[in-house]
Amino acid sequence: MHKSILLCGVGGQGTVLASKLVAAAAMAKGLPILTAETIGMAQRGGSVTSHLRMGENLYSPLIGRGQADLILGFEPGEAVRNLPYLKADGTVVVNTRPVRPVTGSLSGTDYTGLEMIEYLKSKVGHVLVVDGDRAAEELGSAKVLNVVLLGTAAESGALGVTKEELKSAIREKVAPRFLELNLRALDYAAIY
């Protein structure tokens, strides 16, 4: 089995941790894994992209255009920006909660993210939209949105690891004081 997964968002959304959780779950089941992150001014809300590939005979962690089985979009605009990497029959799991870019804030542009989600739906056959605001409110924290997205992707079958395999990775990688919250987030259903 080969899976190529591109995780994209902005700094502070937990993109890198989500990538590490998937990698840990894949390694625990004996799958070879290659990962690479590109982090541009992440602490200032810049783009963060993680390439994650699992399976035999892989020679590069980077996913080429048109080769991603799954795009996990932590931010709607970032999902659109990375859409050229998706396979024709690929899946997109995207968060509704936008992160307004600095340039938008400075120019007064109204960015809701909804136009990006509509664009994704018009271009991709399989899009799962996660209501990030509802998830944050019901779980009591926006910090676990990354795990909500992972749970949604695992449930769809596009992630290459199961929720149970992710639970083991969460128990291994997440600090004990955040463990229960992350386990609840993994099982949270926020698709609309």
Side-chain angles (χ1 to χ4, degrees), residues 34-168:
L34 296 173
T35 66
E37 281 92 24
T38 56
I39 302 170
M41 294 298 287
Q43 291 180 339
R44 303 269 187 250
S47 296
V48 176
T49 306
S50 293
H51 292 244
L52 192 146
R53 299 182 71 210
M54 60 180 92
E56 300 290 334
N57 301 317
L58 297 173
Y59 303 104
S60 170
L62 298 179
I63 299 168
R65 289 180 176 263
Q67 295 180 354
D69 297 292
L70 170 66
I71 290 179
L72 214 55
F74 290 63
E75 200 285 326
E78 290 298 316
V80 169
R81 192 172 68 75
N82 285 283
L83 197 55
Y85 289 96
L86 190 67
K87 284 182 176 177
D89 61 344
T91 299
V92 173
V93 175
V94 64
N95 171 27
T96 57
R97 177 181 264 191
V99 176
R100 194 169 180 192
V102 173
T103 54
S105 297
L106 293 174
S107 67
T109 305
D110 188 29
Y111 170 60
T112 65
L114 295 177
E115 61 279 7
M116 300 297 170
I117 290 169
E118 291 309 312
Y119 180 81
L120 289 168
K121 288 179 176 178
S122 75
K123 299 292 182 188
V124 179
H126 196 226
V127 178
L128 297 171
V129 180
V130 174
D131 187 337
D133 288 329
R134 189 180 99 206
E137 183 179 325
E138 292 182 9
L139 290 165
S141 175
K143 296 274 187 198
V144 291
L145 184 60
N146 56 352
V147 178
V148 172
L149 290 168
L150 286 178
T152 303
E155 204 165 275
S156 77
L159 192 58
V161 294
T162 66
K163 279 188 175 183
E164 286 307 311
E165 291 162 340
L166 284 170
K167 282 180 185 178
S168 294

Side-chain angles (χ1 to χ4, degrees), residues 11-29:
Q13 289 188 300
T15 309
V16 174
L17 175 60
S19 176
K20 288 179 180 182
L21 291 173
V22 175
M27 285 189 295
K29 67 190 250 178

